[in-house]
Amino acid sequence: MKIVVNLDIMLAKRKMKSKDLADAIGITTANLSILKTGKAKAIRFATLASICKELDCQPGDILEYVDDQCF
Amino acid sequence: MDLSKVLLLLLDFFFFLMLLFLLLGIGFFAYVSFVDDMPLFIITENCAEDFDYMALIRLLAEVTSYITFVAIVYFLRKGVRIMVKHHIFNFDVAKCFNISGLLLTLMSITTLIFNFSKDLYDGLFKINLDPFDWKSGIFLVIVGLFLMLMSRVIKAGLELKSENELTI
């Protein structure tokens, strides 16, 4: 079981840079990079809500469940 | 007062004292074996015994036990030193505590079995399970297991720290 973060896809759709999103939601670019690369172990609801607000999307657009057998 | 620094100071003192005694012991045996032709006696707690195979085994067991104890103190000292220098939640601290705990437990169990066999050889059938007698080995087994448990606690703490740091 794996949760894939599709943040880069959403950023591309909204034509937004990582730095702008990081500034808008109040996290560092390093932390946003950890989130984008899938190294993050957890995400706070507050951070998720801020991302959804900025990108005008739903949590399901950013997070996706993928079965391990697919890999 | 930093407790870890006090502990490190005590361990440093204890370690170098043990090392000094070890070197003196090696020097003494080298002198007796190669230089002097004096007859060998093994001095035990109560009396001097004639030098026979059993006495030799006892001597070797005592020396091995002492060297193992020096290694245990060395790893403990190393772990506490890393703890003072960096932080308690460090993988090397957990590793050092685990090694010293494992060695202490193994050494204590071996000592228990050896002492029991020695008593049987001497025609005595006694089991010393007094937890307050540290020579009985039971107390040292408890300390060894506690050190291994500490190592697991540190590892669990490290995992929690890593998860906390990777929570965005």
Side-chain angles (χ1 to χ4, degrees):
Chain A
M1 147 180 128
K2 196 177 177 185
I3 299 292
V4 178
V5 182
N6 293 321
L7 194 59
D8 43 355
I9 298 170
M10 280 310 293
L11 280 169
K13 276 184 186 171
R14 298 288 182 265
K15 291 177 183 162
M16 198 176 189
K17 285 179 186 171
S18 296
K19 194 183 177 305
D20 295 336
L21 180 66
D23 289 341
I25 63 173
I27 64 168
T28 61
T29 43
N31 274 345
L32 193 68
S33 171
I34 289 170
L35 194 61
K36 270 170 66 183
T37 50
K39 286 178 188 164
K41 298 249 180 179
I43 179 164
R44 288 189 189 90
F45 280 158
T47 314
L48 189 61
S50 301
I51 293 171
C52 289
K53 191 182 171 191
E54 281 305 313
L55 295 177
D56 190 25
C57 63
Q58 291 298 311
D61 299 326
I62 301 165
L63 304 174
E64 184 190 356
Y65 167 75
V66 179
D67 206 320
D68 263 350
Q69 289 171 342
C70 297
F71 286 95
Chain B
M1 191 168 73
D2 197 345
L3 283 176
S4 51
K5 279 185 182 167
V6 176
L7 181 64
L8 181 64
L9 200 72
L10 275 173
L11 283 170
D12 272 347
F13 173 73
F14 198 47
F15 177 71
F16 287 115
L17 199 69
M18 286 182 91
L19 215 59
L20 182 72
F21 279 120
L22 188 70
L23 290 174
L24 283 174
I26 291 168
F28 171 74
F29 279 109
Y31 175 75
V32 168
S33 309
F34 301 113
V35 180
D36 207 346
D37 276 342
M38 64 192 264
L40 258 176
F41 289 98
I42 302 298
I43 313 294
T44 61
E45 285 171 11
N46 304 318
C47 58
E49 308 172 17
D50 285 333
F51 192 77
D52 60 357
Y53 278 115
M54 196 57 197
L56 183 68
I57 290 168
R58 282 178 200 179
L59 176 72
L60 284 175
E62 288 286 338
V63 170
T64 312
S65 165
Y66 191 83
I67 291 169
T68 314
F69 208 76
V70 172
I72 290 162
V73 175
Y74 169 77
F75 280 112
L76 257 181
R77 187 175 153 262
K78 197 177 164 190
V80 176
R81 189 173 282 273
I82 297 166
M83 205 159 81
V84 168
K85 240 181 182 177
H86 303 285
H87 198 266
I88 186 165
F89 291 115
N90 191 301
F91 185 73
D92 291 331
V93 176
K95 204 173 136 188
C96 288
F97 277 22
N98 192 41
I99 293 171
S100 54
L102 190 71
L103 281 175
L104 191 60
T105 310
L106 286 176
M107 189 196 80
S108 312
I109 291 170
T110 315
T111 309
L112 271 173
I113 294 168
F114 185 79
N115 283 343
F116 184 68
S117 322
K118 192 182 88 177
D119 289 340
L120 274 184
Y121 181 81
D122 292 339
L124 294 164
F125 186 79
K126 61 172 186 180
I127 304 170
N128 185 5
L129 291 174
D130 182 5
F132 297 105
D133 178 12
W134 76 275
K135 273 184 175 175
S136 74
I138 300 284
F139 183 72
L140 291 180
V141 171
I142 293 167
V143 174
L145 289 175
F146 184 76
L147 279 172
M148 285 163 81
L149 197 71
M150 270 286 288
S151 157
R152 285 190 190 177
V153 169
I154 292 169
K155 275 180 190 166
L158 268 170
E159 262 179 44
L160 283 174
K161 189 172 170 261
S162 152
E163 273 183 18
N164 188 44
E165 279 170 357
L166 289 172
T167 298
I168 313 296

